[in-house]
Amino acid sequence: PEDHSSARKIRESLERGLGDLMSLANKPGIIAFTRGIADPDTIEKGILERLVLRALSRGEELFRDYGDPRGMEPLREEIARLYREQGLDVRAENILVTSGSQQAISLIAQQAAESRTPVLCETPCYSGVTNAFNAFALPFETLPRGADGPDPESLGPASEGTILYLCPVLHNPSGTDISDERRKGLVRWVEENDAVLLADEVFRDLHFGSAPLSFLAEPGPERAIILGSLSKSFISGLRVGWIVSSPERIESLTAIKKAMDL
């Protein structure tokens, strides 16, 4: 416990320092490489106003109740359709809409902390992931990532249900894709150890050419949790993200989300 406490204090100190550096991004004249935000010139002028007016023209009844904590069914159906266009068998019951992919990570971190699920995290990685783990005092081990992704050969035996976080497509911060060889190696490791891959695919829509095969195909939604978002492909401030996984896992995460934000 003392070692964990010391490690947490060091991480918190580093995070404060990084937070101070990142705050510089808001100063005029600074070109910031700290956030994945689209060039404003690529966003159609007035598009949000038109979409809001179109939504409100259908009536205000939509906003008179808390709604489904899984997210609006038409939205979940549409997200599922995008995955089916990739040849993946995804339905609305496989989708949980979240307040950006950051809430998605936080929900998974909270569930893992409560169940004391072991977590592995590739490094380097997006700081929001480790921030979420630390917020729930969730201990995690790190796995070095090379240009082609984490090396499956460096992974030993794992406890049932162990979660491995990675960003397989346009990795943050290196920008590289996982190789087919390492993807297949990780699938074998997951299946042999009854583990779970937490794959952050928020940049997939920005990929030129063929992106790596999604872990939704192999090992499938029973052994994979996929994170998606409109923040990179559309507008960050909408805070529309989602989780794709098995209906059972979506149901358990929905219970946590309902307690968090209804």
Side-chain angles (χ1 to χ4, degrees):
E2 186 176 342
D3 290 342
H4 284 309
S5 176
S6 298
R8 185 169 64 251
K9 288 178 180 177
I10 292 172
R11 286 198 299 267
E12 290 171 351
S13 177
L14 289 171
E15 286 163 8
R16 283 195 296 272
L18 287 171
D20 291 341
L21 284 173
M22 292 178 74
S23 68
L24 295 174
N26 298 319
K27 292 193 173 182
I30 297 292
I31 299 174
F33 291 92
T34 58
R35 294 175 294 178
I37 296 177
D39 181 345
D41 293 336
T42 65
I43 301 171
E44 186 181 341
K45 300 297 183 186
I47 189 169
L48 282 182
E49 182 179 4
R50 291 197 298 277
L51 290 174
V52 167
L53 291 175
R54 181 179 173 185
L56 290 174
S57 70
R58 299 176 182 178
E60 296 182 358
E61 291 79 6
L62 176 67
F63 304 97
R64 292 176 182 169
D65 193 2
Y66 291 110
D68 190 331
R70 296 173 297 176
M72 292 174 58
E73 186 170 2
L75 175 57
R76 290 187 288 121
E77 291 281 6
E78 187 64 16
I79 293 169
R81 183 187 65 80
L82 294 176
Y83 283 95
R84 289 198 297 274
E85 287 181 353
Q86 302 173 36
L88 300 166
D89 184 16
V90 176
R91 308 293 166 183
E93 57 265 30
N94 296 108
I95 306 287
L96 173 61
V97 178
T98 59
S99 179
S101 63
Q102 186 63 41
Q103 186 190 37
I105 295 169
S106 295
L107 289 170
I108 293 160
Q110 181 175 343
Q111 186 178 62
E114 290 174 354
S115 60
R116 299 188 178 182
T117 299
V119 173
L120 295 169
C121 182
E122 69 175 3
T123 184
C125 76
Y126 167 51
S127 62
V129 175
T130 53
N131 288 346
F133 293 164
N134 290 332
F136 292 99
L138 176 62
F140 59 92
E141 302 293 332
T142 57
L143 174 68
R145 178 191 172 103
D148 294 332
D151 184 1
E153 297 299 323
S154 65
L155 287 164
S159 303
E160 179 182 348
T162 294
I163 295 173
L164 169 59
Y165 169 86
L166 72 160
C167 184
V169 184
L170 297 178
H171 173 260
N172 182 355
S174 71
T176 62
D177 292 339
I178 191 170
S179 69
D180 193 50
E181 179 184 0
R182 293 201 167 181
R183 181 188 62 79
K184 290 178 179 177
L186 290 174
V187 170
R188 285 194 299 271
W189 177 82
V190 163
E191 292 175 342
E192 290 169 358
N193 289 274
D194 205 14
V196 177
L197 284 169
L198 174 55
D200 193 341
E201 295 189 359
V202 298
F203 294 103
R204 178 174 284 273
D205 290 337
L206 306 185
H207 203 284
F208 290 97
S210 299
L213 185 66
S214 174
F215 287 112
L216 275 176
E218 293 180 322
E222 297 297 327
R223 290 279 161 246
I225 305 170
I226 307 299
L227 305 181
S229 175
L230 292 183
S231 292
K232 314 307 175 189
S233 58
F234 187 38
I235 297 177
S236 300
L238 280 181
R239 309 311 301 133
V240 175
W242 57 84
I243 297 171
V244 191
S245 195
S246 67
E248 295 76 18
R249 185 172 289 115
I250 292 300
E251 185 177 347
S252 65
L253 289 168
T254 299
I256 300 174
K257 181 175 182 288
K258 187 174 182 180
M260 184 183 290
D261 66 4
L262 287 179

